[in-house]
């Protein structure tokens, strides 16, 4: 069995840093690569991107499963905008892949693509921004 890979790029279009607040890699490994140096950054500054790479080594009988949670870092005295949760499951033992990107509060996302069934190598990006209908208080 070949190596399975999942590449994710997150673009932060907020006026605040985006923090990786929780990470759970149930199956697979994370590492830096030539295209993804400094893999799994703990913070993505406004106007920049962060790259995340998870893989399942060749000749292993498991796929990829991981969960990431992000939130904005609110300035003192202000509330957070919300959270973003990314869930990916690309199991070795069945053909059905699942993935999702959900946001709460004032955060919104665009561009996230679902992993098609049977895919073993996948790449997507997501842009995080503040909801258009949100107003400052």
């Amino acid at each position: 069995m070949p190596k399975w890979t999942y590449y994710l790029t997150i673009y932060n279009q907020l006026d605040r840093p985006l923090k990786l607040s929780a990470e759970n890699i149930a199956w697979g490994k994370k590492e830096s690569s030539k295209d993804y140096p400094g893999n799994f950054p703990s913070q993505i500054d406004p106007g920049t991107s962060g790259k995340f790479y998870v893989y399942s080594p060749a000749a292993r009988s498991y796929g990829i499963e991981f969960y990431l949670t992000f939130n904005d870092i609110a300035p003192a005295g202000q509330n957070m905008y919300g959270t973003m949760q990314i869930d990916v499951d690309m199991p070795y033992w069945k053909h059905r892949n699942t993935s999702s990107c959900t946001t709460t509060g004032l955060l919104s996302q665009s561009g996230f693509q679902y992993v098609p069934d049977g895919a073993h190598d996948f790449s997507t990006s997501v842009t995080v921004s503040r909801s258009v209908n949100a107003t400052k208080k």
Side-chain angles (χ1 to χ4, degrees):
M1 181 176 94
K3 181 178 184 178
W4 290 12
T5 59
Y6 187 93
Y7 296 93
L8 172 66
T9 303
I10 298 176
Y11 298 98
N12 180 3
Q13 289 191 341
L14 299 171
D15 59 349
R16 302 173 172 182
L18 192 63
K19 176 176 90 171
L20 175 62
S21 55
E23 122 189 13
N24 178 1
I25 302 175
W27 294 99
K29 300 178 181 287
K30 65 179 183 178
E31 78 174 21
S32 295
S33 70
K34 180 181 73 121
D35 296 325
Y36 282 69
N39 192 32
F40 275 66
S42 59
Q43 181 174 305
I44 305 169
D45 291 326
T48 66
S49 64
K51 296 184 175 195
F52 302 82
Y53 170 51
V54 179
Y55 73 97
S56 175
R60 299 284 190 235
S61 60
Y62 59 88
I64 296 170
E65 181 181 0
F66 67 92
Y67 310 92
L68 304 175
T69 303
F70 299 86
N71 63 268
D72 62 286
I73 300 174
Q78 295 185 23
N79 294 327
M80 280 186 353
Y81 291 152
T83 63
M84 178 176 71
Q85 172 84 29
I86 295 177
D87 300 342
V88 174
D89 186 9
M90 299 166 60
Y92 165 77
W93 51 275
K94 68 179 181 179
H95 185 71
R96 186 166 182 254
N97 293 327
T98 59
S99 59
S100 65
C101 179
T102 56
T103 58
T104 65
L106 302 177
L107 292 186
S108 65
Q109 65 86 13
S110 63
F112 182 84
Q113 295 180 351
Y114 300 99
V115 180
D117 286 344
H120 297 169
D121 295 299
F122 194 74
S123 178
T124 191
S125 62
V126 62
T127 300
V128 182
S129 58
R130 191 167 166 199
S131 296
V132 175
N133 296 331
T135 57
K136 287 189 176 182
K137 292 186 178 188

